[in-house]
Amino acid sequence: MENSDYVLQMRNISKAFPGVKALDNVTFDVKKGEIHALVGENGAGKSTLMKVLSGVYPYGIYEGDIVIGGTVQHFDTIKDSERAGVSIIYQELTLVKTMNICENLFLGEEIAHNGVIDWNASFRRAAEVLQEVGLDISPGTKVLHLGVGVQQLVEIAKALLKKTDILILDEPTAALSAEEARNLLDILRRLRDRGVTCVFISHRLGEVMTIADRVTVLRDGKTVTTMNRGEFTEETMITKMVGRELNNLFPYKPKKAGNVLMEIRNWTVIDPESKRVIVDNVNLVLRRGEILGMAGLVGAGRTELVMSIFGVYGAVVSGEILLDGKPVRVGSPHAAISAGISLLSEDRKRYGLVLGMDIKRNLSLAALDTIAHHGVVSENQEILSAHNYVVNLKIKTPSIEQKAGNLSGGNQQKVVIGKWLMTKPKVLIMDEPTRGIDVGAKVEIYNVMNQLVDEGVGVLMISSELPEVLGMSDRIVVISEGALTGEYSKDDADQEKVMTSATARFRARGNTKVATAPTG
């Protein structure tokens, strides 16, 4: 007997991969016109469950039933699920950058008469649906000229054009600024009020608290619980997700920093395309055995600064880098690694991993020189090293032969960390080290950072999450429009002081419209 209160029922869903049972008898029921959050650690089964729902995994390769509107559904393709009113928006957006908004909205679903596209009708309908998601922008605008937040709203508009009843959003705010994230949540509330049902997948539990009507928690491929609004807090969700209480999300260890390890002097970087100064005469010091946190607003120049230090960004770079008091030249990643500097990129899938390659080779890629003899890689040494990092970093995988693309986000991040640890760095730069991963994996990465500084490594951590910066850093530096505008000890730092420094250059120009949290 179907329950008419539910627009979606997923009953006893099980799905296995070689060596792993990703879903084990999962039940997931969603009411019409609600925002239902799906939370869990990386690897808990959230993405697999949504791929079953959206037809990525067709009927026959999983067990259980999908019931939509009282009817059992058998999806063989994504198109089948879309015809049933299901649309999914992934964290990695799927828009074609070289096309305009209108072309993207109707791609594969063109308004045509006798084989000829009706562009007038297309532009009219595109303008209407853009208004529905709060975008006052021409449908003829090229996607490559849009920010990530606007692209996210275009993806939602595209879903609405398909007459979506169930909208699935997978980590929709992960790459957004605080202001863009708030705007997106407001749009989702308006869609809910119109009767659109939303499944909201996020590691940002504060946003879940803000927007979710109900929450379902998955752990190890199983349904743990579903809670109504008023029954869940961030603490209860974390406990259900990890199966234990986490009393300290930021396991900071007081430490005494050593001598100056890396010094950046008068560092200025020109953007290769716009020819603008992106990093403006920066001077900073990183000491041996400390975590130096770096905060700033979106576009402040943090990522450009560390990429230029690593030798992968900037048409013109001037200034000096000193390691252990000696000048070093780092015009390329190879030179930086050889000098003892490693960079954990904010975009692990694009710059950190070869997704089609196995864990073993991903781990050794940046350190082949250390396991090669006369130019020939020692396979035994590679296997032994890979195994050690998998064990020490608690990477969940059936084998070191597993492809990196098959791992959860948190385990992918651990592989990238392992890759850079294998280079034996003096300085490890970590750009958004916990972006898009669950709270349990975050704590494990924080523990790795503590272990590194105990061993004398200097860690430079960039983070868009201000509580993370305040919670894990020994010192904090703040960037505003390419320039350092503040430096604080752990004891002296708080959110207000950091934000004051982060907006310093905006305020100096008389611009008071700034984001309310340091992001991006």
Side-chain angles (χ1 to χ4, degrees):
M1 189 80 178
E2 311 304 342
N3 190 325
S4 59
D5 290 341
Y6 296 109
V7 67
L8 166 69
Q9 293 174 280
M10 301 186 76
R11 303 183 308 200
N12 310 117
I13 304 293
S14 295
K15 174 80 178 85
F17 298 100
V20 134
K21 190 157 192 180
L23 299 173
D24 186 2
N25 210 36
V26 169
T27 296
F28 181 56
D29 298 330
V30 181
K31 294 179 180 179
K32 180 174 177 57
E34 74 171 349
I35 297 176
H36 195 127
L38 184 62
V39 301
E41 294 190 272
N42 290 108
K46 306 183 300 295
S47 294
T48 303
L49 186 66
M50 292 302 100
K51 286 177 179 177
V52 168
L53 174 58
S54 61
V56 173
Y57 296 140
Y59 176 72
I61 67 169
Y62 63 87
E63 299 173 8
D65 289 323
I66 299 171
V67 181
I68 295 178
T71 303
V72 176
Q73 306 286 336
H74 295 160
F75 300 143
D76 292 321
T77 66
I78 295 173
K79 285 289 184 185
D80 291 338
S81 71
E82 289 178 349
R83 280 191 284 268
V86 178
S87 288
I88 184 166
I89 298 173
Y90 294 101
Q91 187 175 348
E92 290 83 20
L93 303 180
T94 59
L95 300 174
V96 181
K97 301 290 194 295
T98 54
M99 289 184 173
N100 65 35
I101 295 173
C102 183
E103 290 166 333
N104 270 281
L105 289 177
F106 292 100
L107 188 62
E109 306 283 345
E110 289 82 3
I111 300 174
H113 306 289
N114 300 319
V116 179
I117 295 175
D118 186 339
W119 288 112
N120 288 332
S122 300
F123 265 68
R124 280 196 302 272
R125 183 68 188 103
E128 291 170 0
V129 77
L130 290 175
Q131 288 289 330
E132 289 181 46
V133 297
L135 286 179
D136 185 13
I137 189 172
S138 168
T141 306
K142 288 275 184 75
V143 168
L144 58 85
H145 296 140
L146 305 178
V148 176
V150 176
Q151 289 184 40
Q152 190 79 259
L153 295 179
V154 172
E155 287 271 23
I156 294 174
K158 188 174 181 179
L160 295 180
L161 280 173
K162 297 173 181 174
K163 308 298 182 186
T164 293
D165 297 315
I166 303 169
L167 179 63
I168 306 162
L169 298 109
D170 189 358
E171 297 289 349
T173 63
L176 303 188
S177 71
E179 189 172 351
E180 289 170 333
R182 282 194 297 273
N183 182 47
L184 176 61
L185 297 186
D186 286 341
I187 296 293
L188 296 184
R189 291 187 186 96
R190 292 208 291 271
L191 292 177
R192 174 188 59 192
D193 294 343
R194 285 178 35 198
V196 176
T197 302
C198 296
V199 177
F200 185 79
I201 302 172
S202 180
H203 291 306
R204 294 184 171 182
L205 300 184
E207 292 177 354
V208 172
M209 286 295 302
T210 298
I211 198 170
D213 299 303
R214 291 196 301 151
V215 171
T216 292
V217 180
L218 297 187
R219 184 173 74 239
D220 298 329
K222 298 177 182 178
T223 306
V224 176
T225 187
T226 295
M227 297 177 283
N228 297 314
R229 185 159 192 84
E231 297 176 345
F232 55 86
T233 63
E234 288 192 49
E235 290 73 21
T236 58
M237 284 188 282
I238 290 169
T239 300
K240 299 290 186 184
M241 285 165 58
V242 302
R244 65 191 188 281
E245 288 191 19
L246 288 178
N247 296 318
N248 186 2
L249 293 182
F250 303 109
Y252 173 78
K253 292 175 61 177
K255 59 191 80 72
K256 185 176 181 181
N259 297 329
V260 172
L261 174 59
M262 180 176 73
E263 186 175 359
I264 308 296
R265 292 180 179 173
N266 306 318
W267 197 255
T268 298
V269 181
I270 308 295
D271 180 73
E273 293 185 8
S274 68
K275 310 304 180 188
R276 291 190 303 114
V277 174
I278 300 298
V279 179
D280 189 2
N281 199 40
V282 164
N283 292 272
L284 65 82
V285 165
L286 173 66
R287 296 184 177 276
R288 193 179 305 279
E290 79 166 345
I291 298 173
L292 177 63
M294 184 177 290
L297 297 171
V298 62
R302 297 169 303 168
T303 294
E304 289 82 358
L305 169 61
V306 297
M307 286 177 68
S308 65
I309 292 171
F310 195 60
V312 292
Y313 173 80
V316 178
V317 176
S318 62
E320 261 190 310
I321 299 177
L322 284 76
L323 279 176
D324 290 320
K326 298 176 182 178
V328 294
R329 297 182 64 83
V330 288
S332 70
H334 184 269
I337 293 167
S338 297
I341 301 172
S342 292
L343 170 63
L344 178 81
S345 169
E346 65 175 338
D347 189 342
R348 61 176 170 265
K349 291 187 177 179
R350 186 175 179 187
Y351 297 119
L353 295 168
V354 181
L355 296 175
M357 196 176 279
D358 64 30
I359 293 171
K360 166 171 59 68
R361 184 48 55 90
N362 268 286
L363 283 167
S364 63
L365 267 178
L368 289 176
D369 289 349
T370 66
I371 57 171
H373 306 285
H374 306 296
V376 179
V377 172
S378 168
E379 289 192 21
N380 287 342
Q381 198 169 343
E382 185 179 38
I383 290 169
L384 182 62
S385 296
H387 178 73
N388 287 339
Y389 282 108
V390 166
V391 171
N392 292 336
L393 294 173
K394 300 178 183 176
I395 298 170
K396 294 178 183 176
T397 176
S399 158
I400 60 174
E401 308 293 335
Q402 177 73 278
K403 288 184 178 180
N406 292 336
L407 299 176
S408 67
N411 286 302
Q412 286 181 353
Q413 189 73 327
K414 290 179 187 178
V415 172
V416 182
I417 291 173
K419 178 181 79 171
W420 292 118
L421 295 187
M422 203 165 170
T423 66
K424 307 296 183 188
K426 296 177 182 178
V427 173
L428 179 59
I429 302 170
M430 307 179 83
D431 192 355
E432 304 289 1
T434 66
R435 172 177 285 173
I437 64 175
D438 63 77
V439 64
K442 284 183 178 183
V443 173
E444 290 177 354
I445 288 173
Y446 298 147
N447 286 329
V448 170
M449 292 164 63
N450 284 333
Q451 182 181 339
L452 286 172
V453 295
D454 283 346
E455 295 169 0
V457 175
V459 174
L460 174 57
M461 178 187 70
I462 295 173
S463 177
S464 296
E465 297 186 29
L466 193 45
E468 182 172 74
V469 174
L470 294 170
M472 286 304 298
S473 305
D474 298 295
R475 284 188 302 125
I476 297 166
V477 293
V478 187
I479 290 186
S480 178
E481 293 193 328
L484 284 190
T485 51
E487 179 176 334
Y488 304 95
S489 67
K490 183 175 188 66
D491 293 338
D492 195 38
D494 60 34
Q495 293 205 24
E496 184 177 352
K497 288 178 181 177
V498 171
M499 276 305 302
T500 298
S501 295
T503 59
R505 285 200 147 189
F506 287 92
R507 289 182 289 104
R509 290 189 283 107
N511 185 348
T512 57
K513 290 186 68 176
V514 296
T516 57
T519 54

